[in-house]
Amino acid sequence: MAQKSYLDLKAEVWDCGKCSGCGACVAVCPADAISFKEGEMVTSPASNGYCKQATDSVPCGACYAVCPRTGTQPSETLGKYLELVSAKAAIDIPRRQSGGAVTAILANALDEGLIDAIVTVTEDHWTLRPSSVVISKSDVLIRQAGSRYSWWVPLLAALKHAVIERKYKRIAVIGVPCVVQAVARMRESDNDLLKPFGKSIRLVVGLFCTETFDYAALVQGKLRTDYKLEPHEIRKLDVKGKLEILKTDGSTQAVPLAELESCIRTGCHYCTDLTAVLSDISAGAIGSKPGSTTLLIRTSTGKGFIDNAVQNKKLILSGDADAKAIEKLASAKIKKNTKK
């Protein structure tokens, strides 16, 4: 069967508003022909018009093969897992989102040489502007801890830098479910252009996600215009039935999620995966007490990283998590985003 090119991806995903913004196509395009332009509600990438396959009839298909919006969406709530636990960091993580467990696990992995680098999204603390980055030192990781609820940035864009340019062979990827789905395709693909990516990824940590917001629409639009909040006045954002804003002066403010519907990225309305079912470890705040992180340990690889962090006193396991609470929200997301 003939491989599909970016033209198929454009027709089936980009032009239909389904693009998740994961950036997998940006990362794997061998011609560097796909990119995201910055601006409010950029719903999909653009191509410069050159494609090895469409232009020169050279087999490729890499962008289409990794896209999480082609094929069927996951239908599981929790997915397969070995253990469901609550955990928290045993090290100081000033900007941790909940229990800081993910940062503790990965900081330990870097210190122990279990991984060379982490591909993730960080933000400028003054503007809250997100960036796709490669982190190779635990102290940098700890300084950048925290969840990102808004972006225009393609999350996986830095993966090309990590794999192709810096030649890292033991990479951890942190991402929301669409990122995890794209990485799973890299790991499983027999496409020669994708094999270097799949072989270089040692650990995938998936973050629970209901939806994400467009950076410009949320931060530069809604919060700055309607709520008179400058980005540098915001210390942390958290979604718990509403958007909770912790300010740098210690005060808090809440925004009803109903007010943020126009800020949600359009591609999120096609996602049915709350818990990143294809990851090695899934993590989120749902199902655990405040100050702890829920961990779904899905694979022996994920368990090995967690056990090592516990043994090195970087991570504390603090009991079971509430599976029913996670299933309830996961089922609601599936119902909301399943297209009739």
Side-chain angles (χ1 to χ4, degrees):
M1 187 175 80
Q3 291 174 319
K4 294 193 174 186
S5 74
Y6 94 93
L7 293 174
D8 298 289
L9 188 61
K10 182 177 184 297
E12 296 178 30
V13 179
W14 301 356
D15 293 346
C16 301
K18 295 181 180 181
C19 175
S20 70
C22 73
C25 58
V26 176
V28 303
C29 177
D32 294 324
I34 300 174
S35 62
F36 275 80
K37 295 179 180 179
E38 187 171 1
E40 186 167 338
M41 203 54 75
V42 176
T43 58
S44 64
S47 169
N48 65 11
Y50 174 74
C51 173
K52 289 178 64 176
Q53 186 163 311
T55 307
D56 297 334
S57 300
V58 176
C60 181
C63 63
Y64 190 94
V66 297
C67 180
R69 290 293 187 262
T70 59
T72 58
Q73 281 290 299
S75 58
E76 306 100 316
T77 53
L78 297 185
K80 296 179 181 179
Y81 63 93
L82 304 177
E83 297 178 42
L84 172 62
V85 299
S86 288
K88 58 184 178 181
I91 56 178
D92 184 34
I93 303 173
R95 289 179 176 269
R96 69 187 188 182
Q97 192 70 20
S98 50
V102 171
T103 302
I105 293 164
L106 294 174
N108 175 74
L110 284 171
D111 290 341
E112 292 296 303
L114 303 179
I115 55 175
D116 302 316
I118 300 162
V119 172
T120 186
V121 173
T122 63
E123 69 183 10
D124 180 324
H125 294 317
W126 185 261
T127 64
L128 301 187
R129 184 181 185 276
S131 299
S132 177
V133 298
V134 180
I135 295 176
S136 58
K137 294 183 179 180
S138 61
D139 60 332
V140 176
L141 177 69
I142 289 170
R143 286 200 303 272
Q144 292 289 346
S147 295
R148 320 295 175 210
Y149 289 102
S150 63
W151 57 66
W152 68 270
V153 65
L155 286 77
L156 279 171
L159 186 60
K160 176 175 283 186
H161 179 59
V163 176
I164 305 301
E165 297 175 25
R166 299 181 69 172
K167 309 295 184 185
Y168 287 128
K169 299 298 184 185
R170 301 175 298 176
I171 298 170
V173 176
I174 311 174
V176 289
C178 56
V179 168
V180 171
Q181 291 170 34
V183 171
R185 292 185 173 215
M186 293 178 195
R187 285 173 137 181
E188 296 167 0
S189 178
D190 59 2
N191 186 312
D192 288 338
L193 291 168
L194 299 182
K195 288 179 180 178
F197 293 92
K199 290 179 180 178
S200 299
I201 297 169
R202 174 167 288 185
L203 178 71
V204 179
V205 179
L207 305 176
F208 292 2
C209 181
T210 52
E211 65 255 330
T212 60
F213 305 106
D214 179 76
Y215 167 72
L218 177 66
V219 177
Q220 298 178 335
K222 178 65 70 173
L223 298 184
R224 176 178 275 168
T225 303
D226 295 358
Y227 285 84
K228 310 305 178 186
L229 277 172
E230 292 296 324
H232 65 266
E233 297 177 307
I234 300 171
R235 178 176 175 82
K236 185 170 74 170
L237 300 174
D238 202 359
V239 175
K240 293 182 178 178
K242 56 184 177 290
L243 180 65
E244 297 181 352
I245 303 166
L246 173 63
K247 301 180 186 178
T248 52
D249 64 5
S251 63
T252 60
Q253 192 166 349
V255 180
L257 291 182
E259 289 189 24
L260 302 178
E261 281 293 320
S262 63
C263 301
I264 297 172
R265 292 183 56 82
T266 57
C268 292
H269 296 303
Y270 292 85
C271 179
T272 56
D273 186 1
L274 175 83
T275 62
V277 297
L278 299 178
S279 59
D280 294 303
I281 303 168
S282 294
I286 307 161
S288 288
K289 296 178 181 178
S292 293
T293 304
T294 297
L295 298 178
L296 277 160
I297 308 171
R298 299 188 181 280
T299 66
S300 58
T301 295
K303 180 171 172 54
F305 276 84
I306 289 173
D307 289 346
N308 193 270
V310 171
Q311 291 165 9
N312 290 328
K313 301 187 180 346
K314 301 280 182 65
L315 182 72
I316 299 170
L317 301 184
S318 52
D320 297 333
D322 184 357
K324 290 184 178 180
I326 306 169
E327 288 176 334
K328 181 179 179 180
L329 190 59
S331 295
K333 180 175 181 177
I334 291 171
K335 182 178 180 180
K336 177 183 177 182
N337 291 341
T338 298
K339 306 304 174 184
K340 302 299 184 182

